[in-house]
Amino acid sequence: RPGASSSLQAWVESIERRARSRLGGGRVADYIPALATQPADRLGIALCTRDGDLYTAGDAEEPFSIQSLSKVLLLSLALRSHGDALWQRVGLNPSGMPFNSLMQLESERGKPRNPFINAGAIVVTDHLVSAYATPVKHLQDIARHLSGNPAVRIDREVLASEWQHRARNAAAAYLMKAFGNLNNEVDAVLETYFAGCALRMSCRDLAIAFNYLAADGVTQAGGQPFIPPAMAQRINALMFTSGMYDAAGDFAYRVGLPAKSGVGGGIVAIVPGELSICVWSPALDTSGNSVAGQYALELIAEGLSHLRRGTP
Ligand code: GLN
Protein backbone atom coordinates (compact mmCIF):
# COMPACT_ATOMS: atom_id res chain seq x y z
CA ARG A 1 0.00 0.00 0.00
CA PRO A 2 1.79 3.14 -1.14
CA GLY A 3 1.65 6.24 1.09
CA ALA A 4 -1.06 4.97 3.50
CA SER A 5 -0.32 7.74 6.01
CA SER A 6 0.01 11.18 4.46
CA SER A 7 2.00 12.58 7.40
CA LEU A 8 4.59 9.78 7.16
CA GLN A 9 4.78 10.32 3.41
CA ALA A 10 5.41 14.04 3.93
CA TRP A 11 8.06 13.23 6.57
CA VAL A 12 9.95 10.91 4.17
CA GLU A 13 9.83 13.59 1.47
CA SER A 14 11.19 16.21 3.88
CA ILE A 15 14.11 13.90 4.78
CA GLU A 16 14.89 13.42 1.12
CA ARG A 17 14.99 17.20 0.64
CA ARG A 18 17.27 17.73 3.64
CA ALA A 19 19.63 14.88 2.68
CA ARG A 20 20.07 16.40 -0.79
CA SER A 21 22.28 19.02 0.87
CA ARG A 22 24.93 16.26 1.21
CA LEU A 23 24.99 15.39 -2.48
CA GLY A 24 28.27 17.23 -3.12
CA GLY A 25 30.24 15.02 -0.70
CA GLY A 26 32.04 11.76 -1.49
CA ARG A 27 33.00 10.03 -4.71
CA VAL A 28 31.30 7.49 -6.95
CA ALA A 29 33.13 4.10 -6.86
CA ASP A 30 35.39 3.71 -9.86
CA TYR A 31 37.39 0.55 -9.08
CA ILE A 32 34.64 -1.28 -10.97
CA PRO A 33 34.61 0.86 -14.17
CA ALA A 34 30.96 0.13 -14.99
CA LEU A 35 29.98 1.79 -11.69
CA ALA A 36 31.97 4.98 -12.36
CA THR A 37 29.28 6.28 -14.71
CA GLN A 38 26.59 6.30 -12.02
CA PRO A 39 24.98 9.74 -11.65
CA ALA A 40 26.18 11.31 -8.36
CA ASP A 41 23.11 13.54 -8.04
CA ARG A 42 20.67 10.72 -7.31
CA LEU A 43 19.03 10.19 -3.95
CA GLY A 44 16.25 7.75 -3.25
CA ILE A 45 14.49 6.64 -0.07
CA ALA A 46 11.99 3.81 0.47
CA LEU A 47 10.42 2.63 3.73
CA CYS A 48 8.32 -0.49 4.04
CA THR A 49 6.40 -1.25 7.23
CA ARG A 50 5.89 -4.79 8.39
CA ASP A 51 2.23 -4.45 7.31
CA GLY A 52 3.36 -3.61 3.79
CA ASP A 53 2.77 0.15 3.78
CA LEU A 54 5.30 1.77 1.49
CA TYR A 55 6.69 5.32 1.59
CA THR A 56 9.09 6.55 -1.08
CA ALA A 57 10.81 9.80 -2.04
CA GLY A 58 13.27 11.02 -4.67
CA ASP A 59 14.83 8.47 -7.01
CA ALA A 60 13.34 5.49 -5.18
CA GLU A 61 12.16 3.77 -8.35
CA GLU A 62 15.47 3.91 -10.21
CA PRO A 63 17.30 0.56 -10.32
CA PHE A 64 20.97 0.58 -9.29
CA SER A 65 23.70 -2.00 -8.72
CA ILE A 66 23.03 -3.56 -5.33
CA GLN A 67 26.67 -4.69 -4.84
CA SER A 68 27.31 -5.73 -1.24
CA LEU A 69 23.64 -5.58 -0.29
CA SER A 70 23.60 -9.00 -1.97
CA LYS A 71 25.75 -10.28 0.92
CA VAL A 72 22.66 -10.20 3.16
CA LEU A 73 20.72 -12.31 0.68
CA LEU A 74 23.62 -14.75 0.26
CA LEU A 75 23.92 -15.12 4.02
CA SER A 76 20.18 -15.65 4.48
CA LEU A 77 20.18 -18.41 1.85
CA ALA A 78 23.29 -20.13 3.23
CA LEU A 79 22.06 -20.03 6.84
CA ARG A 80 18.74 -21.40 5.68
CA SER A 81 20.35 -24.41 4.03
CA HIS A 82 23.39 -25.00 6.28
CA GLY A 83 22.51 -23.47 9.64
CA ASP A 84 25.23 -22.79 12.20
CA ALA A 85 27.69 -25.14 10.46
CA LEU A 86 28.48 -22.09 8.31
CA TRP A 87 30.35 -20.51 11.24
CA GLN A 88 33.09 -23.10 11.05
CA ARG A 89 34.18 -21.46 7.80
CA VAL A 90 33.48 -17.78 8.39
CA GLY A 91 33.68 -15.71 11.58
CA LEU A 92 31.23 -13.43 13.40
CA ASN A 93 33.39 -10.47 14.35
CA PRO A 94 34.00 -7.06 12.81
CA SER A 95 37.15 -6.90 10.73
CA GLY A 96 38.10 -3.26 11.32
CA MET A 97 39.58 -3.43 7.81
CA PRO A 98 38.40 -2.34 4.36
CA PHE A 99 35.93 -4.74 2.73
CA ASN A 100 38.43 -6.09 0.22
CA SER A 101 41.42 -6.41 2.58
CA LEU A 102 43.53 -9.57 2.40
CA MET A 103 45.71 -9.06 5.46
CA GLN A 104 43.74 -11.01 8.07
CA LEU A 105 42.95 -13.77 5.60
CA GLU A 106 46.54 -14.99 5.55
CA SER A 107 47.19 -14.68 9.29
CA GLU A 108 43.81 -16.25 10.15
CA ARG A 109 44.43 -19.22 7.88
CA GLY A 110 41.77 -18.58 5.25
CA LYS A 111 38.84 -17.98 7.61
CA PRO A 112 37.30 -14.57 6.87
CA ARG A 113 36.31 -12.39 9.82
CA ASN A 114 32.63 -12.11 8.88
CA PRO A 115 30.16 -12.79 6.04
CA PHE A 116 29.89 -9.10 5.04
CA ILE A 117 33.44 -8.53 3.86
CA ASN A 118 34.21 -9.79 0.36
CA ALA A 119 36.17 -12.87 1.46
CA GLY A 120 33.36 -13.85 3.84
CA ALA A 121 30.70 -13.46 1.18
CA ILE A 122 32.80 -15.55 -1.21
CA VAL A 123 32.83 -18.45 1.31
CA VAL A 124 29.08 -18.06 1.77
CA THR A 125 28.69 -18.13 -2.03
CA ASP A 126 30.73 -21.36 -2.13
CA HIS A 127 27.96 -22.97 -0.03
CA LEU A 128 25.34 -21.83 -2.52
CA VAL A 129 27.33 -23.09 -5.50
CA SER A 130 27.39 -26.50 -3.77
CA ALA A 131 23.70 -26.35 -2.88
CA TYR A 132 22.07 -25.22 -6.16
CA ALA A 133 22.40 -26.51 -9.71
CA THR A 134 21.96 -23.00 -11.17
CA PRO A 135 22.97 -20.63 -8.35
CA VAL A 136 22.99 -17.46 -10.50
CA LYS A 137 19.47 -18.05 -11.73
CA HIS A 138 18.44 -18.94 -8.19
CA LEU A 139 19.71 -15.59 -6.88
CA GLN A 140 17.84 -13.66 -9.56
CA ASP A 141 14.66 -15.67 -8.93
CA ILE A 142 14.83 -15.08 -5.18
CA ALA A 143 15.44 -11.33 -5.67
CA ARG A 144 12.39 -11.19 -7.97
CA HIS A 145 10.26 -13.20 -5.58
CA LEU A 146 11.17 -11.22 -2.44
CA SER A 147 10.76 -7.83 -4.11
CA GLY A 148 7.64 -8.84 -6.03
CA ASN A 149 9.24 -7.32 -9.12
CA PRO A 150 9.67 -9.70 -12.08
CA ALA A 151 11.76 -7.06 -13.90
CA VAL A 152 14.69 -7.40 -11.45
CA ARG A 153 17.72 -8.60 -13.41
CA ILE A 154 21.47 -9.04 -13.36
CA ASP A 155 23.29 -6.17 -15.09
CA ARG A 156 25.53 -7.93 -17.62
CA GLU A 157 27.76 -4.89 -18.12
CA VAL A 158 28.49 -4.58 -14.40
CA LEU A 159 29.03 -8.34 -14.21
CA ALA A 160 31.56 -8.24 -17.07
CA SER A 161 33.31 -5.25 -15.51
CA GLU A 162 33.59 -6.99 -12.12
CA TRP A 163 34.93 -10.09 -13.82
CA GLN A 164 37.53 -8.12 -15.71
CA HIS A 165 38.67 -6.38 -12.53
CA ARG A 166 38.45 -9.42 -10.27
CA ALA A 167 42.14 -9.58 -9.24
CA ARG A 168 41.63 -8.77 -5.56
CA ASN A 169 38.53 -10.96 -5.09
CA ALA A 170 40.26 -13.75 -7.02
CA ALA A 171 43.29 -13.40 -4.75
CA ALA A 172 41.04 -13.78 -1.69
CA ALA A 173 39.30 -16.79 -3.23
CA TYR A 174 42.57 -18.53 -4.17
CA LEU A 175 44.02 -17.90 -0.73
CA MET A 176 40.95 -19.49 0.87
CA LYS A 177 41.16 -22.35 -1.61
CA ALA A 178 44.79 -22.88 -0.60
CA PHE A 179 43.69 -23.09 3.05
CA GLY A 180 40.98 -25.62 2.14
CA ASN A 181 38.10 -23.20 2.79
CA LEU A 182 36.58 -23.26 -0.72
CA ASN A 183 35.03 -26.46 -2.07
CA ASN A 184 34.19 -25.38 -5.61
CA GLU A 185 36.30 -24.00 -8.43
CA VAL A 186 37.31 -20.39 -7.85
CA ASP A 187 35.87 -19.20 -11.19
CA ALA A 188 32.44 -20.73 -10.53
CA VAL A 189 32.25 -19.18 -7.06
CA LEU A 190 33.41 -15.74 -8.27
CA GLU A 191 30.91 -15.75 -11.12
CA THR A 192 28.03 -16.36 -8.71
CA TYR A 193 29.37 -13.80 -6.21
CA PHE A 194 29.64 -11.11 -8.92
CA ALA A 195 26.20 -11.97 -10.31
CA GLY A 196 24.69 -11.23 -6.89
CA CYS A 197 26.57 -7.91 -6.72
CA ALA A 198 25.40 -7.05 -10.26
CA LEU A 199 21.68 -7.40 -9.49
CA ARG A 200 19.88 -4.18 -10.36
CA MET A 201 17.15 -3.18 -7.95
CA SER A 202 15.54 0.06 -6.80
CA CYS A 203 15.14 1.39 -3.23
CA ARG A 204 11.53 0.34 -3.47
CA ASP A 205 12.46 -3.23 -4.55
CA LEU A 206 15.05 -3.50 -1.77
CA ALA A 207 12.89 -2.12 1.05
CA ILE A 208 10.24 -4.71 0.12
CA ALA A 209 12.73 -7.55 -0.46
CA PHE A 210 14.53 -7.12 2.89
CA ASN A 211 11.36 -6.59 4.90
CA TYR A 212 11.70 -10.17 6.22
CA LEU A 213 14.48 -8.89 8.51
CA ALA A 214 12.00 -6.45 10.06
CA ALA A 215 9.24 -9.06 10.24
CA ASP A 216 10.74 -12.10 11.99
CA GLY A 217 11.52 -13.80 8.68
CA VAL A 218 8.09 -13.32 7.10
CA THR A 219 8.26 -11.86 3.58
CA GLN A 220 6.07 -9.35 1.78
CA ALA A 221 5.64 -12.05 -0.89
CA GLY A 222 3.53 -14.11 1.53
CA GLY A 223 3.64 -17.87 1.93
CA GLN A 224 6.08 -19.69 4.21
CA PRO A 225 8.50 -17.53 6.24
CA PHE A 226 11.80 -17.08 4.38
CA ILE A 227 13.86 -17.71 7.53
CA PRO A 228 12.96 -18.43 11.18
CA PRO A 229 12.64 -15.45 13.59
CA ALA A 230 15.85 -16.27 15.48
CA MET A 231 17.80 -16.27 12.22
CA ALA A 232 16.45 -12.84 11.27
CA GLN A 233 17.51 -11.57 14.68
CA ARG A 234 21.03 -12.94 14.20
CA ILE A 235 21.42 -11.48 10.73
CA ASN A 236 20.35 -8.10 12.13
CA ALA A 237 22.98 -8.48 14.87
CA LEU A 238 25.67 -9.12 12.27
CA MET A 239 24.52 -6.16 10.20
CA PHE A 240 24.80 -4.03 13.32
CA THR A 241 28.39 -5.10 14.04
CA SER A 242 29.77 -5.56 10.51
CA GLY A 243 27.34 -4.21 7.90
CA MET A 244 29.11 -0.90 7.31
CA TYR A 245 32.64 -2.28 6.93
CA ASP A 246 35.28 -0.61 9.07
CA ALA A 247 32.86 2.25 9.81
CA ALA A 248 30.30 0.01 11.57
CA GLY A 249 31.06 1.61 14.94
CA ASP A 250 30.70 5.17 13.67
CA PHE A 251 27.46 4.30 11.98
CA ALA A 252 26.09 2.47 15.05
CA TYR A 253 26.82 5.60 17.10
CA ARG A 254 25.20 7.95 14.58
CA VAL A 255 22.22 5.86 13.47
CA GLY A 256 21.95 2.85 15.78
CA LEU A 257 20.24 0.50 13.35
CA PRO A 258 21.38 -2.75 11.73
CA ALA A 259 22.38 -1.84 8.18
CA LYS A 260 24.27 -3.06 5.15
CA SER A 261 25.86 -0.88 2.52
CA GLY A 262 27.09 -1.49 -1.03
CA VAL A 263 29.51 0.39 -3.26
CA GLY A 264 26.66 1.12 -5.70
CA GLY A 265 25.57 3.65 -3.03
CA GLY A 266 22.70 1.65 -1.55
CA ILE A 267 22.17 1.07 2.17
CA VAL A 268 19.50 -1.19 3.66
CA ALA A 269 18.63 -0.52 7.31
CA ILE A 270 16.24 -2.39 9.57
CA VAL A 271 14.08 -1.31 12.49
CA PRO A 272 13.50 -4.81 13.88
CA GLY A 273 9.83 -5.62 14.29
CA GLU A 274 8.78 -2.49 12.43
CA LEU A 275 10.40 -1.27 9.22
CA SER A 276 12.80 -1.98 6.40
CA ILE A 277 14.45 1.03 4.80
CA CYS A 278 16.54 1.45 1.67
CA VAL A 279 18.38 4.63 0.75
CA TRP A 280 20.51 5.17 -2.33
CA SER A 281 22.96 7.82 -3.42
CA PRO A 282 26.06 6.81 -5.40
CA ALA A 283 28.77 9.07 -3.94
CA LEU A 284 30.72 7.24 -1.20
CA ASP A 285 33.00 8.13 1.70
CA THR A 286 36.43 6.53 2.08
CA SER A 287 34.97 3.42 3.80
CA GLY A 288 32.72 2.80 0.78
CA ASN A 289 29.45 3.98 2.36
CA SER A 290 27.02 6.40 0.68
CA VAL A 291 27.46 9.92 2.08
CA ALA A 292 23.95 11.29 1.49
CA GLY A 293 22.47 7.86 2.21
CA GLN A 294 24.03 7.71 5.67
CA TYR A 295 22.82 11.22 6.40
CA ALA A 296 19.28 10.32 5.32
CA LEU A 297 19.38 7.34 7.70
CA GLU A 298 20.62 9.57 10.50
CA LEU A 299 17.62 11.84 9.96
CA ILE A 300 15.23 8.90 9.75
CA ALA A 301 16.59 7.36 12.99
CA GLU A 302 16.31 10.72 14.74
CA GLY A 303 12.73 11.16 13.52
CA LEU A 304 11.76 7.66 14.63
CA SER A 305 13.09 8.19 18.13
CA HIS A 306 11.06 11.42 18.41
CA LEU A 307 8.03 9.50 17.18
CA ARG A 308 8.54 6.85 19.89
CA ARG A 309 8.96 9.40 22.64
CA GLY A 310 6.02 11.38 21.34
CA THR A 311 8.09 14.57 21.02
CA PRO A 312 7.77 16.71 17.87
N1 GLN B 1 31.35 -6.24 -6.09
C1 GLN B 1 32.09 -5.50 -5.13
C2 GLN B 1 33.42 -6.15 -4.86
O1 GLN B 1 33.46 -7.35 -4.79
C3 GLN B 1 31.26 -5.38 -3.88
C4 GLN B 1 31.94 -4.55 -2.85
C5 GLN B 1 31.01 -3.72 -2.02
O2 GLN B 1 29.89 -3.34 -2.34
N2 GLN B 1 31.55 -3.32 -0.91
O3 GLN B 1 34.44 -5.52 -4.74
Side-chain angles (χ1 to χ4, degrees):
R1 290 187 305 168
S5 148
S6 58
S7 59
L8 271 180
Q9 177 59 34
W11 174 64
V12 172
E13 284 167 14
S14 77
I15 284 170
E16 190 258 342
R17 277 195 301 276
R18 285 175 67 191
R20 276 196 181 266
S21 66
R22 298 291 169 100
L23 282 181
R27 288 188 54 206
V28 175
D30 57 5
Y31 76 103
I32 301 167
L35 292 182
T37 54
Q38 289 201 106
D41 62 346
R42 297 296 198 274
L43 174 62
I45 302 179
L47 260 76
C48 182
T49 69
R50 148 172 221 163
D51 300 330
D53 292 341
L54 193 69
Y55 300 93
T56 62
D59 304 300
E61 313 283 339
E62 188 169 327
F64 60 90
S65 190
I66 75 167
Q67 292 297 312
S68 281
L69 305 181
S70 61
K71 292 178 166 82
V72 178
L73 195 57
L74 297 170
L75 177 65
S76 303
L77 289 169
L79 275 179
R80 210 162 72 135
S81 53
H82 292 76
D84 282 343
L86 185 67
W87 306 121
Q88 284 160 15
R89 295 177 57 193
V90 56
L92 289 159
N93 286 304
S95 71
M97 291 283 189
F99 59 82
N100 54 8
S101 172
L102 297 169
M103 280 170 56
Q104 293 162 338
L105 207 52
E106 162 101 78
S107 58
E108 294 173 11
R109 306 195 56 79
K111 182 174 177 179
R113 275 288 171 97
N114 69 67
F116 293 148
I117 53 174
N118 288 7
I122 289 169
V123 169
V124 171
T125 304
D126 185 51
H127 273 88
L128 302 180
V129 172
S130 300
Y132 300 104
T134 52
V136 172
K137 182 174 181 299
H138 189 72
L139 278 178
Q140 185 176 268
D141 287 347
I142 287 277
R144 287 179 177 172
H145 170 72
L146 290 175
S147 64
N149 180 1
V152 166
R153 61 179 184 84
I154 292 161
D155 185 326
R156 297 286 151 186
E157 193 198 336
V158 171
L159 180 57
S161 189
E162 296 214 47
W163 183 257
Q164 210 179 346
H165 297 270
R166 68 189 178 285
R168 214 167 230 287
N169 287 316
Y174 276 111
L175 196 52
M176 293 191 288
K177 183 93 181 158
F179 279 114
N181 199 14
L182 214 65
N183 295 325
N184 297 281
E185 286 309 317
V186 165
D187 282 4
V189 177
L190 287 179
E191 194 204 322
T192 305
Y193 167 73
F194 291 140
C197 293
L199 279 164
R200 274 173 72 79
M201 298 172 80
S202 66
C203 289
R204 176 203 177 94
D205 294 334
L206 287 157
I208 296 172
F210 284 115
N211 194 261
Y212 66 89
L213 292 173
D216 295 318
V218 175
T219 70
Q220 288 295 324
Q224 288 291 312
F226 183 48
I227 51 173
M231 204 173 271
Q233 196 178 325
R234 291 184 177 126
I235 294 171
N236 284 331
L238 280 167
M239 286 166 73
F240 195 79
T241 53
S242 302
M244 303 293 283
Y245 314 118
D246 45 333
D250 287 308
F251 185 81
Y253 185 84
R254 284 166 59 193
V255 177
L257 297 175
K260 181 75 205 83
S261 64
V263 293
I267 307 175
V268 165
I270 303 296
V271 183
E274 293 180 41
L275 280 179
S276 50
I277 306 164
C278 181
V279 296
W280 169 58
S281 188
L284 311 176
D285 64 15
T286 50
S287 298
N289 298 320
S290 169
V291 172
Q294 288 180 90
Y295 184 55
L297 286 171
E298 213 176 304
L299 296 174
I300 290 172
E302 193 184 283
L304 289 175
S305 75
H306 282 304
L307 217 64
R308 278 204 199 91
R309 290 197 306 268
T311 50

